[in-house]
Structure formats: structure tokens, C-alpha cells
Amino acid sequence: MTSSVDVIVIGGGHAGVEAAWAASSMLPNGTVAFVTMDTSKIGVMSCNPAIGGLGKGQIVREIDALGGVMARAIDATGIMFKMLNTSKGPAVWGPRAQADKDAYKDEVQRLIATKTNIEIIEATVDDLIVEDGEIKGVMLDEPLYAKAVVLTTGTFMRGLMHTGDSQEQGGRVGEGSAVGISGTLEKLGFELGRLKTGTPPRLSKASIDWESLPSQLGDEEPVPFSDYPFESFPVLKQVDCRVTSTTAAMHELIRENLERAPMYSGAIDAESGPRYCPSIEDKVVRFAERSAHHVFLEPETINGDSIYCNGISTSLPADVQEQLIPMMEGCQNAKILQLGYAVEYDIVRPYQINATCETKLVKGLYLAGQINGTSGYEEAAGQGLVAGINAVLQIRSDEQVMFGRDKAYIGVMMDDLVTTTPIEPYRMFTSRAEYRLLLRADNADERLTPHARELGLISDFRWDAFKQRMETLEAIRGAVNKTNAKKSDYPVKDIQEELSEFPPRLVHRVVSDIRYEGYIKRQHAEVKRQAKTENRKVPEGLCPKSISGLRNEAVEALETYKPTTLGQASRLAGITPADITLISIAIERFNQHQ
């Protein structure tokens, strides 16, 4: 092992994978050390064997447009592709795919292995080397020095798993816990929080009355996530899922045993679990009027026996779970392969990072993924990409990259994280993006790939393919303008048939642009109007207490969150439009005296 590298990435989950990949792409002559507790688990799908969804799918498309890994991996290993929300406009469509989780992990590891400048190290990092407020490296058996460090701990920082009264240290079943790093961060002055997430039981498919249950099928014509071409798509055999549901009797049994659930017994010290992916215990309490909830039975692999029970995440004791499962239709004889469990873990409250993922306390230290209070593979991967990019820019002494809310869902996420304090794991939705008409899943390449090329994230092969695609889109625009595409009642399929010489996916994209042209122009105008305020830098040396007339609540918000732009300041709780006017005047005066 070398004693000095350019960038160190800690953690082999989805955030770490994208961070290492991005950094290695931008440093073709440098070295990226990729440190993880178990190299065989790099890229593993620890919970739901799926990628994408509403808001999440857009992030995956953006990762691909920026040259990342996730979209390519899911396209190579997806076993059921489905575009969600198609009854509504294309601005809120969400691509999603079930994965063969074993194949997905293997594909991620295969892709990482193609990067000869990534050095994989199996180790646990308990201590960081920091001098004069700047990262210098990490402590393994011996010091490993670097100019930038990306920390992606997932659910492993003091991870503690719960099934009823049973507790086990670890961030994932069968794996350990990263204990020392929490103490190190606290000593450096970081404020930590504690969140909780959970996972449902896995069942044996052979023990389920599979054929008796309604099917959930993928799309007849699946749409890939990545613009990276495959000889044929989909690559793997496609499967179907089945649907069952909870029952009133199950709900009653859960109520009778709530005091045995760690979240309700007080055994879990975390503030909250994920609101948008709640446990079945939470559902029964919060939606007491409902007698049933859907449960989707999703194969975890093509040929394996394990079924993921999407919809009944639980930490109830083993004996209760064993009583609950047979109460579901089709599961009367179902065998549990793995019990559901909850895991609580430490986070660094994200007001302590910038939208670049760099911490405000330690220069050159970047945080990405669940350590910042988020939930989900896609959110973690998006942050990892941002962190990896900026770690390299830090080394080069170049200006850090922040994606605006009008440029990417990744930008919306980062802005949300640094302007709020999560009390529950953050999850992306299309509703969080005020400019979602501009941020469709189908136009991520137009928004982001040119910037990615400037950063060195895109290969010549990908860049040539992008330019060819833009030429094709321009030809389609000319052809579509000669049709009746502007009429909202003219079916897109008819236009696609009329222009059959062009790829249907690109024709649909052009038609969407034309049909929403008026709305898109208005959103662009709004972005332009807001730009002066949104992007105006808040000088580091500007003391909030020195701003004349600023209310105490506003001063406290500025001191806590330390916004880097006036746009971020405007979204802080406790900041009013009148405060923004005073801050703007103070910025102008401060700059005049520099």
C-alpha cells in the first residue's frame, strides 16, 4: 500500500462508488484510495433491490449525464423496468428498475476494476489526520496521506440493529459497525445526530403461493437509464412481481405488540425514521383508519429464492414477524429467510457542510450519503458524485462546483440539505423541485453533459455519442414542427409512427419540449429573474451581528447555517424578505471595503 495518494474515499456503498469513480475520471494520472471494511460488499444493495423512482430516477439520469456508474449498472442488471407516473406530464415521470442485486453488485465491482488508478484497500478508518483545520489523511495500520478525503459511512457510524429486544452492533445484517469515526468527528467539533431506518423480512419464493397472486409487470418497451449503448436491451431476462396486502387481523396483532417494537419501547435512540418509507408499525399507528396496505413481493435475483417484501419494513420481535407473514394472502406457508430489522446510526447534521459536500470545519474533508441525513441509494450516489468532483477541484485549487436548483435534482437535494436540519431521513421527490419542468428525466444530458465534459468526467466515446444525439434531436425538431405535434390531442405514438426513422425516445422528448414550450419559457424567465439574488456570494468574513437592523432570529440562522449564497440565505427558517434586503446591502458594503 502506498503511503500517499491524491484522494481517499471511505466507504464502499453507492456514495463511495460514485465519489471514487468521479475522482478517478478527473485524475487519470493520479491515485484514488478506496477504503472499505469489506471489499466483497462494494456496491451492495443493502435494502430494496431497485434503483430509481419518483425524483430518484431523475437523479440516476443526472448521474449518468455526469459520467457516473449507477445508471450503467442498473441497465446491465435490471430485471423489471417501469416508468412511474405516466398518467401525468413527463416532468414528473420517474424511471425505476428492479435489479438482480447480486448481478448489480458484481457489475459495480467490474466497472470499478476498469479504473487502474483506483486502489482498493480493505480496512476500517477510525481516525482522521487533521492539521490546522485541514485534512491531511487517515489512520489505518499506518498513516495514509491525501490532499482530500471523502467520508461515506452509510448506516455504519455506531450502527445498531434491532429486532424486538435483540440488538446487534452493525450497519447491515452480517456486517460490523464503525465506532471510532463518530468520536473523531465529535472531537473535531462536529455536531452529530442519530437517525433510524429499517428493512422488511425476506421470504422464500418456493414457499409462497406465487401463481395465486396478481402480477405487477414491467413496461413492454423498457427505457434504459443510461445513454451508454448496449448491443441489446434489456440485458437480463425480465421478471414480474406479485402483490398481496396486510389485513385487519395483522394490524390488530401489531397494535397488541407495539410495546415490543424498539421505536415504541424507547430502545431506539434515533430521532425519527423515514416518513416516506415507514415501518408497518408506523403505518398501523398513523393510518389507523386503514384495514390494509399493499405489499409488493419483489424477486431479489433472477434465479434465487429470496423475495423482498416491499411495504412491511419492521423491527418487531421474531415471534411476531413469524405470526404476521402467514396472515397475508399467498403467504400462508411462507418461510422467512431473513427477519426484518431496524438500524440506528449517527449522522453529521448537514448544516455543517456546503452544497459542495465539503465540511465547513475541515478544509478538504467531504461528506456524502447517509452521513448527511439522507435516505436511498440514489440520493447517496448523487452526493458521492458531487463530493468526488469537488475533492479533485480542491486539489487543483479550482472553484468548487455547486449545481443550481434550476440545473439538477442533485442541486435541489444539496440546497435542501444545507438550508434545513433533517429530523428524518431526507428523500427526493419531484415536488421538491420548483423548476421540475426544466429537470425532466429525459433531458439530463442536455443540462449536464457539456459541464461534465469540461470537468473531465466524460470520455471521448461518450462525448461523441452525446454530440450525435444532439444532432438527431435537432433533426427531429425540424421534422416535428412540420407535423401537428403542437396540438395536445395529437397522440405522441402517432407522431412517433410518422417519424419512424428516428428513435421513439428522442421523438417523445422533442414533443414534450414543444408542448410545454410556454411553461418552460416562463420557468427560464423566473430563473433569470432570480439569478442575481440566487447566486450572489455571501462573503466568509461578513459577520451577521454587524448587519444593522437584522433581527436576532436572522442572526442566529446565519451563524448556524453559514449560507454561501444569498439564495441559500433566503431559504433558511427565520429569514424574511426584509432580512434579505438588509443582508444584500451589507454584502455590497462589505465588498466595497475589500
Side-chain angles (χ1 to χ4, degrees):
M1 187 182 74
T2 56
S3 60
S4 179
V5 295
D6 294 287
V7 175
I8 299 170
V9 176
I10 303 166
H14 303 281
V17 163
E18 298 295 346
W21 183 270
S24 68
S25 297
M26 294 173 69
L27 290 169
N29 299 315
T31 303
V32 177
F34 193 8
V35 185
T36 181
M37 290 193 292
D38 185 344
T39 56
S40 71
K41 298 295 176 63
I42 290 174
V44 74
M45 299 181 117
S46 54
C47 191
N48 192 355
I51 295 291
L54 303 180
K56 292 170 172 282
Q58 282 85 338
I59 289 178
V60 180
R61 286 282 297 133
E62 290 172 358
I63 290 168
D64 184 65
L66 290 163
V69 173
M70 182 170 274
R72 287 178 63 183
I74 187 59
D75 281 354
T77 62
I79 57 178
M80 191 183 90
F81 292 81
K82 193 172 184 65
M83 188 68 72
L84 306 181
N85 232 19
T86 54
S87 63
K88 299 181 181 178
V92 294
W93 289 11
R96 182 183 187 273
Q98 286 290 121
D100 182 313
K101 72 174 190 178
D102 294 337
Y104 183 91
K105 170 180 63 70
D106 292 344
E107 178 65 9
V108 169
Q109 292 180 18
R110 185 194 71 79
L111 287 168
I112 289 291
T114 66
K115 294 283 193 178
T116 57
N117 60 343
I118 294 179
E119 180 182 352
I120 300 175
I121 301 170
E122 189 168 84
T124 298
V125 176
D126 286 330
D127 203 1
L128 305 174
I129 303 170
V130 178
E131 296 176 7
D132 300 322
E134 188 171 344
I135 197 75
K136 296 297 181 182
V138 304
M139 281 300 302
L140 303 178
D141 290 337
E142 297 178 356
L144 177 62
Y145 296 100
K147 301 166 187 174
V149 173
V150 181
L151 184 58
T152 73
T153 56
T155 59
F156 286 87
M157 273 211 311
R158 286 199 300 168
L160 186 62
M161 296 178 290
H162 299 259
T163 301
D165 294 333
S166 174
Q167 296 181 356
E168 183 180 348
Q169 281 199 349
R172 207 159 43 206
V173 67
E175 297 183 56
S177 177
V179 178
I181 196 68
S182 290
T184 294
L185 291 169
E186 285 180 319
K187 287 177 186 176
L188 288 170
F190 288 99
E191 181 190 353
L192 304 186
R194 199 148 173 86
L195 292 179
K196 162 258 181 192
T197 189
T199 194
R202 273 62 161 186
L203 307 181
S204 164
K205 182 179 179 180
S207 66
I208 299 170
D209 188 0
W210 193 257
E211 298 305 323
S212 72
L213 298 171
S215 289
Q216 281 275 306
L217 301 172
D219 293 336
E220 287 186 19
E221 298 179 7
V223 176
F225 279 88
S226 179
D227 290 320
Y228 196 94
F230 283 88
E231 288 185 12
S232 63
F233 181 82
V235 177
L236 298 185
K237 180 181 73 175
Q238 300 298 284
V239 305
D240 66 334
C241 300
R242 297 296 161 117
V243 185
T244 185
S245 63
T246 61
T247 65
M250 285 180 71
H251 295 191
E252 186 57 35
L253 180 61
I254 290 167
R255 291 189 192 98
E256 290 172 359
N257 286 276
L258 277 177
E259 75 282 355
R260 300 180 67 195
M263 276 296 286
Y264 289 88
S265 68
I268 289 182
D269 192 33
E271 296 163 34
S272 182
R275 180 189 304 186
Y276 302 106
C277 188
S279 67
I280 189 61
E281 300 95 282
D282 289 335
K283 288 181 183 179
V284 167
V285 172
R286 285 166 49 191
F287 308 107
E289 72 284 358
R290 293 188 58 176
S291 60
H293 295 279
H294 279 127
V295 179
F296 298 92
L297 303 178
E298 302 172 342
E300 294 201 299
T301 58
I302 295 177
N303 300 313
D305 189 42
S306 180
I307 298 296
Y308 180 91
C309 298
N310 193 340
I312 53 168
S313 173
T314 183
S315 59
L316 284 163
D319 64 292
V320 179
Q321 293 189 41
E322 288 164 357
Q323 292 176 68
L324 289 172
I325 294 300
M327 293 180 175
M328 296 190 298
E329 186 67 30
C331 298
Q332 292 87 342
N333 300 307
K335 177 185 175 184
I336 298 176
L337 299 177
Q338 178 187 304
L339 292 167
Y341 63 92
V343 56
E344 57 174 318
Y345 54 95
D346 286 347
I347 66 164
V348 174
R349 297 198 184 280
Y351 72 81
Q352 299 164 104
I353 63 169
N354 292 313
T356 62
C357 285
E358 186 178 24
T359 66
K360 295 173 181 177
L361 281 176
V362 179
K363 184 179 180 182
L365 176 62
Y366 295 79
L367 309 182
Q370 285 175 288
I371 191 172
N372 289 331
T374 59
S375 171
Y377 308 146
E378 305 82 2
E379 290 89 343
Q383 292 169 71
L385 187 75
V386 172
I389 291 170
N390 283 311
V392 175
L393 294 176
Q394 171 72 40
I395 291 170
R396 296 175 179 168
S397 298
D398 288 342
E399 185 176 357
Q400 301 274 282
V401 165
M402 291 193 299
F403 296 99
R405 295 181 72 91
D406 61 311
K407 296 298 183 186
Y409 272 88
I410 292 173
V412 173
M413 171 178 63
M414 293 308 307
D415 186 75
D416 285 349
L417 290 176
V418 302
T419 56
T420 58
T421 297
I423 58 171
E424 62 192 20
Y426 176 96
R427 180 178 177 178
M428 178 51 70
F429 287 104
T430 52
S431 58
R432 295 190 188 275
E434 62 270 42
Y435 300 120
R436 54 187 172 272
L437 271 175
L438 306 180
L439 308 181
R440 302 198 312 266
D442 63 0
N443 66 9
D445 57 347
E446 286 183 86
R447 291 186 275 119
L448 298 171
T449 296
H451 191 26
R453 178 65 173 180
E454 292 172 5
L455 291 167
L457 294 164
I458 297 292
S459 68
D460 290 343
F461 174 76
R462 290 291 301 266
W463 182 241
D464 290 342
F466 169 77
K467 289 191 293 184
Q468 180 60 53
R469 196 160 53 252
M470 294 305 103
E471 290 174 8
T472 303
L473 283 169
E474 197 56 40
I476 294 171
R477 288 186 184 101
V480 169
N481 281 327
K482 296 176 183 177
T483 70
N484 294 316
K486 289 190 177 182
K487 293 182 179 179
S488 60
D489 58 348
Y490 193 42
V492 174
K493 281 205 169 183
D494 290 353
I495 300 169
Q496 289 171 331
E497 288 175 9
E498 195 171 328
L499 303 177
S500 58
E501 71 271 27
F502 297 112
R505 184 179 175 187
L506 296 185
V507 173
H508 191 282
R509 178 165 156 184
V510 170
V511 172
S512 296
D513 283 339
I514 291 172
R515 288 188 171 168
Y516 289 93
E517 187 176 18
Y519 298 102
I520 290 171
K521 282 182 177 178
R522 281 202 287 273
Q523 288 209 341
H524 277 302
E526 176 65 16
V527 170
K528 191 174 180 180
R529 187 179 70 81
Q530 295 280 1
K532 187 175 180 182
T533 299
E534 180 63 34
N535 300 319
R536 193 171 187 191
K537 299 289 186 184
V538 177
E540 284 188 21
L542 179 61
C543 176
K545 290 180 180 177
S546 70
I547 301 175
S548 179
L550 199 62
R551 297 171 308 111
N552 288 337
E553 186 179 3
V555 169
E556 289 174 7
L558 293 177
E559 288 182 332
T560 298
Y561 288 91
K562 296 179 176 60
T564 58
T565 67
L566 205 54
Q568 287 180 5
S570 70
R571 288 183 286 277
L572 296 178
I575 299 287
T576 68
D579 296 327
I580 292 298
T581 299
L582 293 174
I583 297 166
S584 182
I585 293 169
I587 291 171
E588 189 171 340
R589 288 176 177 168
F590 182 91
N591 290 335
Q592 285 174 352
H593 289 89
Q594 296 305 301

